[in-house]
Amino acid sequence: MSHIVTIAVVEHHSLVRRGLASLLSGLPLAELIAVVAEPSELDPALPRPDVVVFGPAPSSGRSLEVAVDRLAGLSKVLVVADFIRPLVTIALRAGAFGCVHRESGDDELVHALTTVARGGVYISPALAPRLRAELRTPSTAAPAVLARREVETLRWLAAGMTHRQIARRMELTEATVSTYVKRIRNKLGVGNKADLTRKAIELGLGPEGSHVLPEGWRVGDHV
């Protein structure tokens, strides 16, 4: 890391949380700005961290997806977990930049953090076999889920608004709106704005649409 990287730790287990805080607070060129147990405990008044180190509680794939999706709207997410269930691909598809096994050493965690802070993707070598197995398993995942804020963003895009106008309307930063747009494109598998507008109309999200998604699509209950 060649510049100060701000970090937030979100870890449900108190002992692990204290250990992560101790390790990360001692890193050169790193500033620990928040240490909390749950994503909901992050103070919205704090500056957005460059990286969130997220240690989720044992949960279903759906709850992990919701949590990572929420945190990915704030910064790059590095998930640290045991990954007992097939959750690596779920975390990555939800927007995580990295996955590290909870039993990894300090050096690997720092390397993963550095990689993610620079915009790279890091997967712990210990998780490589699991990732390969998950990718080979036929997907039984539900169709793409658009979060409420993503639906709202898509609606304003279809109405012809710029990112700046949408940011003002939704009381967000332009950077956050851009993040939402990238995630919408990935989830819907579309490229340019014209394709997004057409897809919005197909989904009933155009200016005159009913705002009802067709069968097989769901709107996430998260922000």
Side-chain angles (χ1 to χ4, degrees), residues 3-162:
H3 67 283
I4 299 296
V5 174
T6 55
I7 305 167
V9 171
V10 181
E11 165 60 58
H12 83 286
H13 195 289
S14 60
L15 288 176
V16 178
R17 186 166 63 248
R18 288 197 292 271
L20 286 171
S22 176
L23 170 66
L24 298 177
S25 62
L27 294 180
L29 299 179
E31 179 184 359
L32 190 61
I33 63 173
V35 181
V36 298
E38 300 293 339
S40 59
E41 296 176 9
L42 286 173
D43 186 349
L46 288 174
R48 290 172 179 261
D50 295 315
V51 180
V52 171
V53 177
F54 178 42
S59 60
S60 68
R62 175 60 182 152
S63 58
L64 175 67
E65 179 186 17
V66 170
V68 172
D69 181 88
R70 177 178 182 177
L71 293 171
L74 299 175
S75 73
K76 303 178 185 70
V77 180
L78 176 62
V79 180
V80 180
D82 53 23
F83 294 98
I84 295 175
R85 289 179 293 278
L87 301 178
V88 181
T89 52
I90 290 175
L92 294 175
R93 286 168 179 160
F97 273 67
C99 295
V100 174
H101 198 281
R102 196 179 291 277
E103 295 182 1
S104 297
D106 293 354
D107 290 344
E108 183 181 348
L109 178 61
V110 172
H111 178 56
L113 179 66
T114 303
T115 300
V116 169
R118 292 173 176 169
V121 175
Y122 184 89
I123 305 297
S124 175
L127 296 175
R130 184 176 296 277
L131 177 59
R132 285 195 296 271
E134 290 180 27
L135 292 175
R136 291 171 179 168
T137 302
S139 176
T140 57
V145 176
L146 294 182
R148 284 202 304 264
R149 286 298 189 118
E150 292 168 353
V151 170
E152 188 176 355
T153 300
L154 181 57
R155 184 179 299 153
W156 294 129
L157 282 172
M161 287 190 177
T162 65

Side-chain angles (χ1 to χ4, degrees), residues 144-146 150 154 181-191 195-200 202-203 205 213 217:
V145 176
L146 294 182
E150 292 168 353
L154 181 57
V181 173
K182 289 178 182 178
R183 286 158 57 185
I184 292 168
R185 285 176 172 167
N186 289 334
K187 288 181 178 182
L188 300 185
V190 298
D195 291 335
L196 279 174
T197 300
R198 283 194 291 270
K199 180 61 72 172
E202 291 175 10
L203 299 178
L205 298 173
L213 295 178
W217 286 85

Side-chain angles (χ1 to χ4, degrees), residues 163-205:
H163 287 201
R164 177 173 294 182
Q165 291 170 330
I166 295 171
R168 290 175 178 172
R169 176 72 67 123
M170 296 175 65
E171 298 182 345
L172 300 170
T173 65
E174 284 188 63
T176 298
V177 171
S178 295
T179 296
Y180 285 155
V181 173
K182 289 178 182 178
R183 286 158 57 185
I184 292 168
R185 285 176 172 167
N186 289 334
K187 288 181 178 182
L188 300 185
V190 298
N192 57 38
K193 186 174 181 180
D195 291 335
L196 279 174
T197 300
R198 283 194 291 270
K199 180 61 72 172
I201 293 172
E202 291 175 10
L203 299 178
L205 298 173

